[in-house]
Amino acid sequence: MKVLKFGGTSVGSSKNINSVIQILDNYSKNGAVIVVVSAVGGITDKLLQAGNQAKNKDSGFINTFGNIKDIHFEIINELNPDNNHSILTAVESRLNELKSLLDGIYLINELSPKTSDKLVGFGEALSSFIIAETMKNRGLSAERKNSKDLIITNSNFTKAEVNFGITNKNIKDYFKSASQQITVLPGFVAQSTLGEQTTLGRGGSDYTAAIVAAALKVEQLEIWTDVSGMFTSNPKLVKQAYPIEKISYQEAMELSHFGAKVLYPPTVQPVLDLNIPIHIKNTLKPEAAGTVISNDESHAALPVKGISNISNIALLTLQGSGMIGIPGFSKRLFETLAQEKINIVLITQASSEHSICLGLDENDSEAAKTAIDLVFENEIALHKIDPIIVETGLSIIALVGDNMKNHQGISGKMFSTLGKNNINIRAIAQGASEKNISAVIDKKDVKKALNTLHEQFFETQTKQLNVFITGVGNVGERLVEQIKQQKKYLKENLKINLRIIGLSNSRTMIFDEDGIDLKNWKALLTTGEKATLEGFFENTKALNLRNSIFVDVTANKNVANLYAKYLRESIGVVACNKIACSSDYENYRLLKRLSLKYNAPYLFETNVGAGLPIIDTLNNLIASGDKITSIQAVLSGSLNFVLNNFNDNTKFHDVVKQAQAEGYTEPDPRIDLSGVDVARKILILARESGVEMNLEDIENTPFLSESGLKSVTVDDFYQTLIDDEAHYQNLYASAKANQCQLKYVAQFNNGKASVGLQEIPEGHPFYNLEGSDNIVMFYTQRYPEQPMIIKGAGAGADVTASGIFSDIIRIGNN
């Protein structure tokens, strides 16, 4: 004999009920089957809604009743299109009883617990009758038996306690003589020893099935629902979650208590002592393996079995110096809440005895505060304790596993993982059994917390990076394409799952929490919402995804001014925009401090040498204990391209135009040619070397003509290049006469920095620097004579994009 239970979703439509009947038909061919069914999905809530409307003299209960009737009649007609008269007649009779009950509630303006039990019991009564009669119509050997005739309880209405002595005898006696292959029982409902209808409380249909299974000592209890078992985490919040094949009773109860809705915790108790396994199955996917709950120790390989959560939690704190060493505070506190029938979800107390924290349902917080403040009124007046502190908008996350106690470092890994994503923990609780580690966090962080922990404990060390890119022009477009090209490689070889979640240009922005489709991102961007810098930040913040990275591929000061806001939200920043790092020194230091405080990486390798590892090399030298004594560098790929291509056969204006057309200069080439860009770069290197310095401290000797320096617009500037061609030819002629090459050089020595045009003689490392290449020479205590040299392409969209990409990957590898 088998016992199966089908929940509200499983019997929530004619389509699903047909699946249930098919499953029962298959099972019945191999032996007798007992099936416990819940009310049609959503009906219990509608019954309570109608009851409360009637109690409050709201005539809307008639419409709610009509909706309940329509739902059941529609299911009957769909299940039995040709032979439904007798079923409709019987159901209408029961619905008339329901209508009379609602009319009575309306008249007396009262809905007692006793009446409530009568009211909500109609849901299971109707669904079990419809399913049993439908199976009979289809020629199956099926009978409905009212659970009220079998399960006897006390008169504690809405959550009655079972008299197992009488109940077990009733169940055994009935099924000893039952001849039908399929017996349909309504879940949830029972009857008191006085003959009054009672209910078994929330999740009572599961409980009904467990009571019957235990009484008959069946081999296994099957609970059929709309998911394929108990998952490692909530699959609606964690898409990588997967069903747990085997789990212990205790683990199942812990996960169920902490929000895993598949199983109601008291369900386990009747079968626990008898060691009857519970099999969670999916009605819509009967072939799926599901989850087996038992005492089989073969399930205990993984220390952590699941991660769950409870939402809408309030944290109440009772604290005060007058509590220390005084017995009785805890007793009075818990008694007060018990008298108010308030359930405590979590308890934690510091060893100093200065405070006690309680987690409970947010809906009970006001009543709890009022009751506690009243009980401790005298102590509060004498300032021995403080008025109760209530914090709302919280959730509890829980790590569950029987085997956690045998593995060191689980809690440390849990809390460090949360801390790295700036998830603040308000309270912690861990039982001595070490089956559960619970933490109270802000409810807005639940999704991030569950995904972060799931990645840490259940996934094959694949780290998900969620990237938000502002600026998809020349460099930004190349970056997106590089990410698209390398996504598979990163996942397979570096275990990095890199997703672009947000994209923005100056006009529109788009977001996709599951990752933007990079095959047609350009088309998607044209359909996005209007772009604003603040809007992009707010969307990134609201998504609150783990390992979020904001990527700035602009030269916009207003974008740079937002870095601090991103870092404060634990969102990493990768920037090729030099403005922030070359801004006021205090702002530079602030961004560095925020990066450390909020564990948010701030990387800007491309600020200096596009794709060259200049800053990374400098940081490694310093971290290893070396000290920078001097830096000499050609840091502008743009200027190097211009100076390498300018000679007495070309015009300076034409070479600058060519550099801009090929993407080597900024849209305003004055930024490059004035030396400001190079000054910013040597400033950043000086600061990264540990020197406090601002941009105005750098000596900048410009080589542009006076009219070029004073030009107001880009067009004006280009005109000055034509007008002042002789000036630039003289510079070239002087270098040629001295057998030198013109290079724009940045220097840092003895705490001072300068930039300017220099004539570089043959034999110098800068002399043969070609194209748009950059070169940096670090003289240090370890490299005093022969410097460490870094040389390579220092400009261009592809190499700059690759530098940004490298910073993103660096974050993923850390």
Side-chain angles (χ1 to χ4, degrees):
M1 184 174 287
K2 291 184 178 295
V3 177
L4 288 71
K5 178 263 176 179
F6 289 90
T9 307
S10 296
V11 296
S13 67
S14 59
K15 178 184 176 183
N16 289 1
I17 292 174
N18 277 323
S19 297
V20 170
I21 292 173
Q22 183 62 56
I23 291 166
L24 295 174
D25 185 18
N26 292 337
Y27 271 56
S28 67
K29 291 172 183 175
N30 298 313
V33 179
I34 300 168
V35 55
V36 177
V37 296
S38 297
V40 170
I43 290 298
T44 302
D45 288 339
K46 291 182 185 296
L47 288 165
L48 286 170
Q49 179 187 351
N52 284 313
Q53 286 173 323
K55 180 188 73 170
N56 296 324
K57 291 291 184 180
D58 179 355
S59 60
F61 81 90
I62 297 172
N63 292 330
T64 306
F65 167 77
N67 185 223
I68 293 170
K69 181 177 179 179
D70 291 343
I71 289 171
H72 286 95
F73 275 24
E74 181 181 350
I75 288 174
I76 293 168
N77 288 325
E78 290 174 350
L79 289 173
N80 303 275
D82 301 321
N83 184 15
N84 59 28
H85 179 71
S86 61
I87 302 177
L88 287 171
T89 301
V91 168
E92 183 150 30
S93 175
R94 284 173 167 81
L95 288 169
N96 288 337
E97 292 176 27
L98 170 60
K99 179 62 165 54
S100 296
L101 180 59
L102 290 169
D103 288 340
I105 295 169
Y106 185 83
L107 287 172
I108 65 173
N109 196 28
E110 183 182 345
L111 179 59
S112 67
K114 181 178 178 180
T115 305
S116 178
D117 273 359
K118 288 181 182 178
L119 177 68
V120 296
F122 274 94
E124 278 72 13
L126 290 167
S127 66
S128 59
F129 178 80
I130 293 169
I131 292 169
E133 293 302 306
T134 300
M135 285 194 286
K136 286 182 188 179
N137 276 351
R138 298 182 184 182
L140 298 179
S141 173
E143 291 292 339
R144 176 184 180 272
K145 177 64 177 174
N146 198 331
S147 300
K148 294 193 298 181
D149 299 335
L150 303 177
I151 300 175
I152 307 303
T153 70
N154 62 10
S155 296
N156 185 15
F157 297 106
T158 73
K159 196 175 182 181
E161 296 173 13
V162 177
N163 183 323
F164 282 100
I166 301 173
T167 297
N168 288 346
K169 184 178 185 304
N170 289 345
I171 293 170
K172 289 174 185 176
D173 289 346
Y174 174 76
F175 285 103
K176 191 181 295 181
S177 58
S179 60
Q180 67 272 11
Q181 284 296 98
I182 303 171
T183 304
V184 182
L185 298 175
F188 185 49
V189 295
Q191 186 172 252
S192 75
T193 52
L194 300 176
E196 301 161 316
Q197 180 168 308
T198 57
T199 60
L200 301 177
R202 183 174 65 88
S205 292
D206 285 357
Y207 198 18
T208 301
I211 291 167
V212 174
L216 299 176
K217 296 182 180 178
V218 299
E219 291 184 2
Q220 183 171 268
L221 166 63
E222 295 187 7
I223 294 179
W224 292 74
T225 180
D226 59 345
V227 291
S228 299
M230 299 188 80
F231 278 65
T232 48
S233 193
N234 184 344
K236 293 179 181 177
L237 299 177
V238 182
K239 295 195 174 178
Q240 294 82 12
Y242 55 87
I244 306 166
E245 184 179 349
K246 295 180 180 179
I247 192 171
S248 74
Y249 292 118
Q250 294 298 326
E251 289 169 331
M253 285 196 291
E254 290 281 1
L255 286 173
S256 298
H257 175 70
F258 280 91
K261 305 299 184 186
V262 174
L263 188 71
Y264 180 52
T267 301
V268 178
Q269 204 57 52
V271 296
L272 180 62
D273 294 336
L274 298 175
N275 196 23
I276 297 173
I278 301 172
H279 197 173
I280 310 294
K281 296 277 285 178
N282 189 341
T283 307
L284 305 180
K285 295 180 181 178
E287 73 284 352
T291 298
V292 175
I293 305 168
S294 70
N295 280 329
D296 181 2
E297 293 187 0
S298 66
H299 74 272
L302 290 173
V304 178
K305 271 304 179 66
I307 307 162
S308 198
N309 69 288
I310 309 177
S311 297
N312 301 317
I313 292 294
L315 194 66
L316 274 64
T317 304
L318 183 71
Q319 64 181 19
S321 57
M323 292 172 57
I324 301 172
I326 306 299
F329 273 96
S330 300
K331 176 177 179 291
R332 290 167 64 194
L333 174 63
F334 299 139
E335 280 183 348
T336 301
L337 296 175
Q339 288 167 4
E340 296 293 321
K341 295 185 177 179
I342 294 173
N343 183 49
I344 300 172
V345 182
L346 175 142
I347 304 168
T348 180
Q349 181 175 16
S351 58
S352 66
E353 301 181 56
H354 182 265
S355 67
I356 303 173
C357 288
L358 305 174
L360 43 83
D361 191 296
E362 206 167 62
N363 295 324
D364 295 328
S365 60
E366 284 301 318
K369 175 175 171 54
T370 301
I372 295 169
D373 281 345
L374 183 62
V375 167
F376 291 98
E377 185 177 17
N378 184 52
E379 287 85 352
I380 293 171
L382 295 174
H383 301 291
K384 290 184 177 181
I385 63 171
D386 301 330
I388 197 79
I389 299 170
V390 179
E391 298 172 75
T392 57
L394 303 174
S395 290
I396 298 174
I397 54 170
L399 218 59
V400 172
D402 282 343
N403 212 25
M404 291 198 303
K405 61 180 178 289
N406 298 321
H407 287 73
Q408 294 180 343
I410 297 291
S411 58
K413 188 183 290 186
M414 175 184 180
F415 299 134
S416 65
T417 300
L418 295 175
K420 285 177 181 177
N421 276 275
N422 198 35
I423 298 168
N424 187 40
I425 298 172
R426 294 291 301 110
I428 298 168
Q430 181 176 11
S433 67
E434 297 184 52
K435 295 178 186 293
N436 178 313
I437 306 172
S438 303
V440 180
I441 63 173
D442 194 307
K443 67 180 180 183
K444 73 177 177 63
D445 289 327
V446 166
K447 184 173 182 179
K448 183 199 284 188
L450 293 177
N451 277 277
T452 300
L453 292 173
H454 196 274
E455 184 177 82
Q456 178 65 246
F457 288 101
F458 291 104
E459 297 169 37
T460 56
Q461 298 305 307
T462 298
K463 187 172 186 178
Q464 187 175 103
L465 300 183
N466 297 298
V467 176
F468 302 79
I469 302 174
T470 289
V472 283
N474 196 15
V475 174
E477 179 179 340
R478 301 295 213 293
L479 173 61
V480 174
E481 290 302 319
Q482 287 178 13
I483 291 172
K484 173 184 168 184
Q485 176 186 321
Q486 291 299 107
K487 265 181 73 73
K488 184 178 179 181
Y489 175 87
L490 293 177
K491 196 164 187 176
E492 291 178 353
N493 294 276
L494 300 183
K495 302 301 180 188
I496 295 173
N497 180 21
L498 200 162
R499 310 185 309 167
I500 297 178
I501 306 298
L503 281 174
S504 177
N505 56 27
S506 59
R507 299 174 302 281
T508 56
M509 58 185 184
I510 54 171
F511 296 87
D512 188 333
E513 188 174 353
D514 297 325
I516 293 168
D517 182 1
L518 299 186
K519 292 178 182 177
N520 61 339
W521 66 271
K522 290 183 181 179
L524 290 171
L525 190 55
T526 62
T527 65
E529 61 185 290
K530 183 179 178 182
T532 65
L533 298 181
E534 193 65 31
F536 195 83
F537 166 72
E538 290 297 336
N539 274 281
T540 304
K541 175 184 171 184
L543 284 168
N544 198 23
L545 299 175
R546 67 194 188 281
N547 305 323
S548 290
I549 304 169
F550 171 66
V551 181
D552 178 10
V553 198
T554 75
N556 188 311
K557 182 178 180 180
N558 293 328
V559 178
N561 288 340
L562 288 173
Y563 292 177
K565 295 181 74 170
Y566 280 101
L567 295 171
R568 285 190 176 99
E569 297 298 328
S570 284
I571 298 168
V573 174
V574 170
C576 70
N577 186 343
K578 306 175 190 69
I579 293 173
C581 273
S582 60
S583 63
D584 182 77
Y585 182 77
E586 285 307 312
N587 184 61
Y588 163 82
R589 289 304 308 161
L590 171 66
L591 296 178
K592 288 280 194 172
R593 288 195 300 270
L594 291 176
S595 174
L596 289 172
K597 180 177 180 180
Y598 294 100
N599 196 40
Y602 175 38
L603 301 180
F604 41 89
E605 183 66 76
T606 51
N607 276 198
V608 174
L612 296 176
I614 295 172
I615 295 175
D616 187 51
T617 302
L618 173 59
N619 289 335
N620 288 336
L621 287 170
I622 294 170
S624 68
D626 206 352
K627 185 177 180 180
I628 304 297
T629 57
S630 151
I631 302 172
Q632 293 183 26
V634 173
L635 291 173
S636 174
S638 311
L639 276 170
N640 206 41
F641 177 89
V642 169
L643 295 173
N644 280 336
N645 286 279
F646 174 58
N647 54 50
D648 47 12
N649 295 317
T650 62
K651 292 186 176 180
F652 195 70
H653 167 275
D654 296 342
V655 175
V656 174
K657 272 287 188 182
Q658 180 188 353
Q660 187 181 35
E662 294 188 23
Y664 290 121
T665 73
E666 299 289 348
D668 183 350
R670 289 174 297 178
I671 297 173
D672 299 284
L673 272 64
S674 66
V676 171
D677 190 58
V678 177
R680 285 174 175 162
K681 291 179 177 182
I682 195 66
L683 172 65
I684 292 168
L685 291 180
R687 286 176 170 179
E688 291 294 291
S689 301
V691 175
E692 181 176 343
M693 182 180 288
N694 281 310
L695 194 60
E696 56 268 24
D697 299 326
I698 297 173
E699 182 183 349
N700 184 353
T701 306
F703 73 91
L704 294 176
S705 65
E706 187 173 344
S707 59
L709 291 170
K710 293 180 178 179
S711 60
V712 177
T713 67
V714 174
D715 289 340
D716 290 342
F717 175 68
Y718 273 117
Q719 185 59 48
T720 68
L721 298 186
I722 296 172
D723 297 340
D724 299 332
E725 176 65 21
H727 168 75
Y728 300 108
Q729 286 293 341
N730 288 337
L731 294 174
Y732 175 78
S734 173
K736 184 177 181 181
N738 294 322
Q739 298 183 328
C740 292
Q741 295 278 0
L742 287 174
K743 302 294 177 186
Y744 201 85
V745 178
Q747 297 182 95
F748 170 74
N749 192 31
N750 294 323
K752 294 183 179 181
S754 63
V755 296
L757 193 67
Q758 292 186 19
E759 295 182 0
I760 302 299
E762 190 172 359
H764 192 280
F766 294 173
Y767 183 84
N768 291 316
L769 200 62
E770 299 177 348
S772 62
D773 284 1
N774 281 1
I775 185 170
V776 177
M777 301 192 301
F778 289 122
Y779 290 89
T780 74
Q781 290 179 342
R782 294 174 188 161
Y783 297 90
E785 302 296 334
Q786 295 295 325
M788 176 175 283
I789 298 177
I790 302 165
K791 179 181 177 182
D798 281 320
V799 293
T800 303
S802 71
I804 298 169
F805 198 0
S806 295
D807 274 348
I808 295 171
I809 294 170
R810 189 174 291 118
I811 292 173
N813 285 331
N814 289 335

